[in-house]
């Protein structure tokens, strides 16, 4: 996300939100850059705009970052140049209008002779106040000459640099500065940070975004956004970084576990619905199993007479399996996904998103023709994908299309780190389920009720942020951002093709 004190021509309303993948590793005598590369590769689904790794050899921190996928940014040559025993890595999710190299992470900041690097998953909600505290006028000043970035992550780097202790503190300057800065931040953040000899992970008091601690089988420690990333690097899960906690790792191992704020867990419920890999565990429950239970619950809540249950691949697959199991209707493939296409949502403009659906999915007419289909997907956000999928299925000869969604209507923008644009772009913002059914052109439509959804996760209902579904925001939303995202599109903003069409 772009910090609002920007000097570039970031379009209004694009300042909010990204979810990203972060990874950190402390492992003397191991190829930490390669491990970070593998960790980021496992977290590629969390961000496909840019990738970066920072490595410390104990004296110097080197950062390599660029636009593109992990495999596009890194090769044997640049990985080989990253020597050291500590690394952090970051995958950045695209935010409309703000794709630029200088917003790639990790952010590096020098402080006198020292320096540190930071990777951030999430979005802060009090950047204006933080900027004011630094004496900066939003829109006029760069964050710092050494940080060529406008993100709120760069703002945090600046706050940390200014809180750096003047006295030498046995190399503990970074954690001491963080202890002063973290309590000032509001919103969503899972951070990985490093200086030349420490690796630090920290999570906001609500724990909006996941972050786990793992132990490398060959010795050493890792942080990762998702537990699934531990498998690929040969690490085992130790525990979650707790909401409101900071963990400091150095040559002695896990040296400090600091509870800097009372935890009030509100993990993003959408991690269970869509974001996380199915093989990730959240709150101790495997996401894949939870998604199957969502499908089962959906079949019980909204049964339908049909011939075949068809998933919208890939995120709809486990819920469709659960729906088929609970309803007794055979499961079958009706859509084939091109494996080399990323998530269509990530395309930077609405027009390209439209084209993206065709690039990604193609129907199987032999399986579909003449059949009454129950089509299952995890969510409808803007409705662009869904509408085209339904048209494709009808053109391929489906006799009936009954759409089932394994989450409630997505009605409210996220201010803590999910990029879903302004409220007017959300299909369900002002439409009833009946109106959406008409717009999509389906024979029937049902969304999973929120209580059934949270029950399917296996975790306590009150441990989730459900703001995008209920409008209940656990952290106050900044007024300017609220105005931008909750009200009508700004003049000159990219036109939205969904709800407007629907009316
Ligand atoms: P649409 O019909 O355009 O709203 O797209 C619905 C599809 O987008 C579903 O298959 C979801 O799995 C997927 N989706 C849901 N939330 C997101 C998100 N935040 N980023 C990318 N894709 C998403």
């Amino acid at each position: 996300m772009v910090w609002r004190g920007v000097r570039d021509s970031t379009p209004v309303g694009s300042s909010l939100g990204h979810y990203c993948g972060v990874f950190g590793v402390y492992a003397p005598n191991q190829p930490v850059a390669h491990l970070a590369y593998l960790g980021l590769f496992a977290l590629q689904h969390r961000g496909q705009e840019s990738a970066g790794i920072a490595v410390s050899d104990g004296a110097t921190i080197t950062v390599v970052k660029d636009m593109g996928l992990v495999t596009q940014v890194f090769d044997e040559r640049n990985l080989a140049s990253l020597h050291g025993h500590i690394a952090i890595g970051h995958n950045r999710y695209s935010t409309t209008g703000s794709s630029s190299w200088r917003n790639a992470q990790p952010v590096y900041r020098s402080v006198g002779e020292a320096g540190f690097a930071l990777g951030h998953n999430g979005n802060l909600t009090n950047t204006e106040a933080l900027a004011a505290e630094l004496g900066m006028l939003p829109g006029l000043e760069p964050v710092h000459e050494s940080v060529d970035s406008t993100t709120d992550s760069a703002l945090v780097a600046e706050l940390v640099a200014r809180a750096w202790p003047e006295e030498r503190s046995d190399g503990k300057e970074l954690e001491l500065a963080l202890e002063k800065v973290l309590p000032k931040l509001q919103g969503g953040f899972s951070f990985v940070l490093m200086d030349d000899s420490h690796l630090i992970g920290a999570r906001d008091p609500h724990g909006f975004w996941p972050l786990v601690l793992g132990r490398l089988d060959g010795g050493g420690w890792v942080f990762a956004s998702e537990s699934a990333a531990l498998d690929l690097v040969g690490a085992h899960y130790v525990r979650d970084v707790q909401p409101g906690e900071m963990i400091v790792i150095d040559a002695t191992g896990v040296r400090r576990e600091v509870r800097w704020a009372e935890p009030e867990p509100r993990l993003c419920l959408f991690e269970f619905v869509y974001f996380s890999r199915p093989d990730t565990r959240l709150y101790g429950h495997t996401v894949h199993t939870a998604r199957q239970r969502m499908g089962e619950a959906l079949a019980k809540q909204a049964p339908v007479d049909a011939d075949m249950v068809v998933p919208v691949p890939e995120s709809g697959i486990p819920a469709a399996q659960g729906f088929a199991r609970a309803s007794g209707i055979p499961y079958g493939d009706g859509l084939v996904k091109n494996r080399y296409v990323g998530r269509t949502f990530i395309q930077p403009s609405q027009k390209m998103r439209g084209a993206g659906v065709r690039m990604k999915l193609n129907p199987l007419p032999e399986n579909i023709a003449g059949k009454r289909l129950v089509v299952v997907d995890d969510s409808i956000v803007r409705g662009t994908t869904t509408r085209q999928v339904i048209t494709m299925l009808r053109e391929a000869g489906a006799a009936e299309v009954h759409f089932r969604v394994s989450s409630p209507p997505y009605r409210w923008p996220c201010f803590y780190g999910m990029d879903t644009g302004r409220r007017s772009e959300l299909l369900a913002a002002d439409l009833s389920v009946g109106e959406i059914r008409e717009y999509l052109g389906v024979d029937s439509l049902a969304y999973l009720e929120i209580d059934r959804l949270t029950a399917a996760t296996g975790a306590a209902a009150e441990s989730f942020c459900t703001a995008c579904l209920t409008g209940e925001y656990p952290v106050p939303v900044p007024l300017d951002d609220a105005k931008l995202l909750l009200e009508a599109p700004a003049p000159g903003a990219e036109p939205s093709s969904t709800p407007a069409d629907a009316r």
Side-chain angles (χ1 to χ4, degrees):
M1 86 274 47
V2 172
W3 171 51
R4 288 176 56 69
V6 292
R7 289 196 308 164
D8 65 2
S9 55
T10 306
V12 177
S14 68
S15 60
L16 281 166
H18 65 179
Y19 70 94
C20 299
V22 293
F23 190 84
V25 50
Y26 190 109
N29 308 318
Q30 295 211 45
V32 287
H34 284 80
L35 291 172
Y37 171 81
L38 290 177
L40 291 183
F41 184 70
L43 298 171
Q44 185 72 81
H45 61 288
R46 295 184 74 86
Q48 298 157 13
E49 179 194 278
S50 65
I53 295 176
V55 170
S56 165
D57 60 6
T60 309
I61 295 177
T62 312
V63 187
V64 173
K65 56 183 177 179
D66 211 339
M67 306 303 288
L69 301 173
V70 179
T71 49
Q72 292 167 327
V73 173
F74 294 99
D75 53 30
E76 273 305 331
R77 229 173 32 161
N78 59 16
L79 279 178
S81 70
L82 291 170
H83 301 289
H85 64 294
I86 313 176
I88 62 170
H90 187 270
N91 282 332
R92 187 170 193 272
Y93 181 85
S94 166
T95 308
T96 313
S98 66
S99 300
S100 81
W101 182 87
R102 63 208 192 101
N103 289 335
Q105 294 193 32
V107 171
Y108 175 78
R109 174 74 157 86
S110 59
V111 198
E113 299 286 286
F116 67 93
L118 161 82
H120 176 196
N121 172 196
N123 189 64
L124 302 182
T125 51
N126 64 333
T127 47
E128 299 277 350
L130 296 170
E133 185 188 317
L134 291 175
M136 292 175 173
L137 287 176
L140 295 179
E141 290 179 62
V143 174
H144 184 269
E145 61 198 13
S146 87
V147 179
D148 190 15
S149 171
T150 55
T151 63
D152 60 359
S153 318
L155 182 62
V156 173
E158 177 63 16
L159 286 163
V160 171
R162 295 212 191 169
W164 207 259
E166 299 205 343
E167 308 279 300
R168 289 186 67 86
S169 315
D170 299 334
K172 293 180 183 148
E173 291 83 359
L174 180 57
E175 64 196 81
L176 293 175
L178 280 168
E179 278 182 79
K180 288 197 204 132
V181 172
L182 291 173
K184 294 182 185 172
L185 310 180
Q186 286 170 19
F189 53 91
S190 280
F191 287 132
V192 288
L193 299 109
M194 62 185 277
D195 59 16
D196 56 11
S197 50
H198 301 83
L199 174 67
I200 296 179
R203 236 174 133 198
D204 70 78
H206 292 91
F208 286 110
W209 308 105
L211 188 66
V212 299
L213 173 69
R215 181 96 212 238
L216 278 168
D217 299 334
W221 297 88
V222 298
F223 290 114
S225 288
E226 292 185 33
S227 61
L230 301 178
D231 302 335
L232 186 56
V233 298
H236 62 267
Y237 171 84
V238 174
R239 66 180 184 85
D240 287 5
V241 178
Q242 293 304 314
E245 186 186 31
M246 166 172 90
I247 298 181
V248 182
I249 293 169
D250 66 11
T252 62
V254 174
R255 179 169 52 73
R256 279 189 77 201
E257 294 150 293
V258 186
R259 292 292 179 106
W260 54 271
E262 268 306 301
E264 267 182 74
R266 292 282 185 283
L267 179 71
C268 167
L269 184 53
F270 243 67
E271 289 282 349
F272 262 107
V273 171
Y274 169 79
F275 291 151
S276 283
R277 286 171 57 130
D279 49 344
T280 278
R281 287 171 72 84
L282 298 168
Y283 283 147
H285 302 279
T286 302
V287 169
H288 185 263
T289 317
R291 288 181 185 161
Q292 287 188 324
R293 282 196 295 260
M294 290 169 203
E296 288 170 3
L298 194 51
K300 284 183 198 132
Q301 180 200 309
V304 60
D305 226 359
D307 304 312
M308 188 162 91
V309 179
V310 171
V312 179
E314 279 169 4
S315 51
I317 292 175
Q321 289 168 341
F323 195 105
R325 194 155 65 199
S327 64
I329 302 170
Y331 175 92
D333 291 326
L335 295 159
V336 172
K337 185 174 174 190
N338 180 329
R339 293 185 185 175
Y340 300 94
V341 172
R343 295 180 170 191
T344 39
F345 212 85
I346 284 163
Q347 305 296 329
S349 76
Q350 191 69 24
K351 265 193 204 136
M352 287 176 70
R353 244 179 245 126
V357 181
R358 278 276 169 193
M359 285 168 66
K360 177 170 150 181
L361 295 168
N362 211 29
L364 281 167
E366 291 80 357
N367 283 12
I368 295 169
K371 292 204 178 110
R372 297 168 302 161
L373 306 180
V374 188
V375 183
V376 181
D377 204 354
D378 60 274
S379 56
I380 303 175
V381 181
R382 290 168 163 95
T384 324
T385 315
T386 310
R387 201 178 188 207
Q388 292 186 51
V389 163
I390 289 155
T391 307
M392 273 188 224
L393 293 170
R394 291 245 189 244
E395 285 170 3
E400 290 174 20
V401 178
H402 301 273
F403 211 83
R404 295 291 178 271
V405 188
S406 61
S407 60
Y410 193 114
R411 295 210 157 100
W412 301 93
C414 178
F415 295 88
Y416 313 127
M418 179 163 40
D419 177 20
T420 45
R422 61 189 61 242
R423 187 152 191 266
S424 56
E425 288 176 72
L426 304 174
L427 183 61
D430 295 312
L431 299 183
S432 67
V433 174
E435 287 168 320
I436 298 172
R437 187 189 66 71
E438 234 170 82
Y439 169 71
L440 296 175
V442 285
D443 296 283
S444 75
L445 171 69
Y447 288 88
L448 185 62
E449 290 160 1
I450 185 104
D451 294 349
R452 294 180 194 253
L453 168 58
T454 50
T457 66
E462 56 281 5
S463 60
F464 290 108
C465 175
T466 59
C468 57
L469 311 172
T470 59
E472 289 161 24
Y473 292 96
V475 169
V477 169
L479 198 60
D480 282 356
D481 290 343
K483 274 196 196 136
L484 282 173
L485 287 191
L486 296 175
E487 290 173 1
E494 186 188 299
S496 154
S497 66
T498 41
D501 284 1
R503 271 183 216 115

